[in-house]
Amino acid sequence: MIALSRRSQPRPCRPATVPSSVPVGVRAASDWSWRLLTVVALAGVVIYLVVVFQDIVVPLLVALLISALLQPTVSSLIRRRWPKWLAITVCLVAFGAVLAALVTLVVWQVRVGLPQLEHESVAAYNRARDALRQPPWNVTDAEFAGYIRSADAFAQKDSAALVGGVLKVGTTTGHLLAGSLIAIFATIFMLIDGGGIWRWISRLFPVGGRPAIQAGGTAGWRTLTSFVRVQILVAVVNAVGIGLVAYFLGLPLAIPIGVIVLLASFIPVIGAIVSGIIAVVIALVFGGPIQAVIMLAGVLLVHLLEAHVMQPLLVGGAVKVHPLAVVVGVAAGTGIAGVPGALFAVPVIAVANAMVSAMLRVAHGVPAADDPGPQPVEVEGATGGA
């Protein structure tokens, strides 16, 4: 009876679900919108913090690049039973010696070739002025001087915008000295205990997310080391190729031209184009149209070798980033931080891509055996990176 009476009792009525008047597409768009706005806001905060603390961030990024370059050699020496301190010291001294040799070579070449450069500069100026005086140009001396002043003002404006990041990083000798000391000490500590530094950083995250963070760190470190070594090889090939063309054409300061190409090639795509234009302009001014055409052919040949041989075989395997992303990243980095932004844009994009991919694989339960990882300096098989 009790059971029957309970069954006979009326059940409370549930309110009927009122269908939403908002279309499904609009709801999906709104869900995506606030998530995208959150991501953009986070990116904006990160960029703002980088700009505010650039006196510290830029030296640390430089230290990361140097550590990624030297760490494989340090690990190789340690595996050959070298003491760690000796391996690190030898690598740092060798790196400093190479930089000092490049600077000394450029300064020596400029001092030796300066008289010839001044003479040929005056001769090129006179040839250009005489050519513009003739028909169909008929440019007067006053108009020619005005064009020179306009070109000089335009160059100063663009160069100030381009090197703005450098000027912001070190506006005084004290800032430059402080940044250099930070980069040196950070490089030393990254080489000594890079794995320990990354493990300490990973412990700042929740326990459940640490495996993904560690996998992302190791993947990003391996990508960074591969990028630095491959980019150095590409830069050396570009510098040697264009420098030899300038030397055989008899252009002044062929070695400084090669060094400029070497440094500019560390900025992918954009740096190679800018350095090639500089080499062609120098050939046009100091050699003439025929030498400029030959220089242009040499530059195009070197760039074709880079684009169709070195980039697919070397850079493509080390940095899995679409060329369009490279160009956009370099342009955005240049607009945000000048030369440092252009230099670090591609490594940041490549490392972020590798880290996110590795963390997603771990989150989805995919085995990470094929994930790239760094080779720790201190202990074989330890997890971490600089």
Side-chain angles (χ1 to χ4, degrees), residues 115-129 285-286:
Q116 179 187 3
L117 183 64
E118 292 177 349
H119 179 268
E120 294 190 6
S121 298
V122 173
Y125 176 84
N126 292 330
R127 286 197 303 268
R129 186 182 60 183
V285 172
F286 298 106

Side-chain angles (χ1 to χ4, degrees), residues 70-288:
L70 301 180
Q71 188 265 341
T73 305
V74 173
S75 298
S76 177
L77 294 177
I78 291 176
R79 286 194 295 270
R80 289 173 172 79
R81 301 185 181 279
W82 282 47
K84 182 191 295 186
W85 67 268
L86 181 59
I88 294 174
T89 302
V90 168
C91 290
L92 289 175
V93 170
F95 178 75
V98 171
L99 290 182
L102 283 176
V103 173
T104 303
L105 182 61
V106 171
V107 172
W108 173 63
Q109 285 291 310
V110 170
R111 291 185 61 182
V112 171
L114 190 59
Q116 179 187 3
L117 183 64
E118 292 177 349
H119 179 268
E120 294 190 6
S121 298
V122 173
Y125 176 84
N126 292 330
R127 286 197 303 268
R129 186 182 60 183
D130 294 337
L132 292 175
R133 284 174 177 170
Q134 305 299 324
W137 312 109
N138 298 323
V139 177
T140 63
D141 291 344
E143 292 175 340
F144 184 74
Y147 294 151
I148 294 295
R149 287 193 298 269
S150 301
D152 182 62
F154 180 78
Q156 290 181 357
K157 177 182 176 181
D158 282 2
S159 62
L162 181 62
V163 303
V166 177
L167 298 178
K168 292 176 184 177
V169 172
T171 54
T172 64
T173 305
H175 285 177
L176 290 174
L177 180 60
S180 301
L181 292 176
I182 291 174
I184 293 173
F185 282 107
T187 302
I188 293 173
F189 285 112
M190 288 177 186
L191 291 174
I192 292 174
D193 192 23
I197 294 174
W198 181 252
R199 287 192 294 273
W200 178 81
I201 293 175
S202 64
R203 284 196 294 269
L204 299 177
F205 294 87
V207 177
R210 289 178 187 175
I213 296 297
Q214 292 174 355
T218 54
W221 179 249
R222 175 60 62 84
T223 299
L224 182 62
T225 56
S226 301
F227 169 81
V228 172
R229 286 180 289 179
V230 168
Q231 199 62 37
I232 285 180
L233 178 59
V234 172
V236 169
V237 172
N238 289 343
V240 172
I242 296 178
L244 287 176
V245 175
Y247 174 77
F248 287 123
L249 289 176
L251 298 180
L253 306 178
I255 293 179
I257 290 175
V259 174
I260 291 174
V261 174
L262 175 68
L263 298 177
S265 296
F266 284 98
I267 302 176
V269 181
I270 305 298
I273 295 175
V274 173
S275 61
I277 292 175
I278 293 175
V280 173
V281 170
I282 292 176
L284 177 63
V285 172
F286 298 106

Side-chain angles (χ1 to χ4, degrees), residues 289-367:
I290 298 177
Q291 286 84 350
V293 172
I294 297 174
M295 189 75 240
L296 178 61
V299 169
L300 292 177
L301 180 62
V302 172
H303 290 172
L304 287 174
L305 176 65
E306 175 188 354
H308 296 283
V309 178
M310 291 185 292
Q311 289 285 349
L313 296 180
L314 300 177
V315 181
V319 182
K320 297 179 176 60
V321 179
H322 196 276
L324 180 60
V326 172
V327 175
V328 174
V330 171
T334 304
I336 293 173
V339 172
L343 176 62
F344 297 120
V346 176
V348 168
I349 293 173
V351 170
N353 179 61
M355 292 181 67
V356 172
S357 300
M359 288 189 291
L360 289 177
R361 286 196 293 268
V362 173
H364 294 159
V366 178

